[in-house]
Amino acid sequence: MDRFEVYKHIKDYYNVEPDFPWVKYPQYAVFRHQRNKKWFALIMNIKRSTLKIDGEGTADVINLKTDPLFIGSLQQKAGVLPAYHMSKKSWVTVLLDGSFDKQELFCLIDESFNLTQK
């Protein structure tokens, strides 16, 4: 699973294109609801050392809102980290390196979409 597969999934299911709001971070893609402009997903490339994961260079990740009751159990799964630069009480960061199940990622995107549309 890579960022472009996620872009396609979000376009196909929610009819939302990525927004690139930061000149300083041209690869940071924000996905917003068309009506209320709230974010439901943010894809970034973050230094692996910043995320405290093995390896050199950067890793593509996606931040998603989730039910706070599930954050602890989600973070026990491979590829799921405490939210980077978002509230750790209601957001998680998922590595887009194939370590997290693709279908489960799509379910988390759907949950984030639903939680942020209100």
Side-chain angles (χ1 to χ4, degrees):
M1 166 77 46
D2 64 23
R3 72 172 42 230
F4 301 105
E5 226 178 319
V6 175
Y7 291 174
K8 182 178 178 344
H9 174 79
I10 291 174
K11 172 65 176 162
D12 291 349
Y13 282 81
Y14 310 105
N15 196 32
V16 175
E17 296 280 352
D19 175 19
F20 300 91
W22 300 287
V23 173
K24 185 176 178 180
Y25 301 105
Q27 292 187 353
Y28 284 25
V30 174
F31 293 89
R32 306 171 193 260
H33 289 276
Q34 293 175 355
R35 195 183 92 251
N36 67 14
K37 303 300 181 200
K38 286 187 178 183
W39 300 7
F40 63 92
L42 170 62
I43 295 178
M44 304 168 283
N45 59 320
I46 307 296
K47 288 182 183 176
R48 297 178 76 80
S49 60
T50 300
L51 296 170
K52 298 182 174 102
I53 58 175
D54 292 337
E56 298 293 319
T58 63
D60 280 345
V61 299
I62 185 169
N63 277 4
L64 298 165
K65 188 164 190 169
T66 191
D67 186 324
L69 295 174
F70 299 121
I71 295 229
S73 59
L74 275 172
Q75 290 177 359
Q76 299 301 311
K77 296 183 178 199
V80 181
L81 306 168
Y84 174 76
H85 219 284
M86 302 284 271
S87 170
K88 290 167 181 37
K89 293 179 182 177
S90 55
W91 290 79
V92 292
T93 294
V94 179
L95 296 171
L96 296 178
D97 64 356
S99 60
F100 189 72
D101 180 73
K102 179 176 169 176
Q103 292 307 314
E104 193 169 0
L105 176 61
F106 291 161
C107 288
L108 286 178
I109 292 169
D110 192 52
E111 178 181 24
S112 186
F113 183 88
N114 290 327
L115 287 170
T116 55
Q117 73 179 346
K118 298 173 186 163

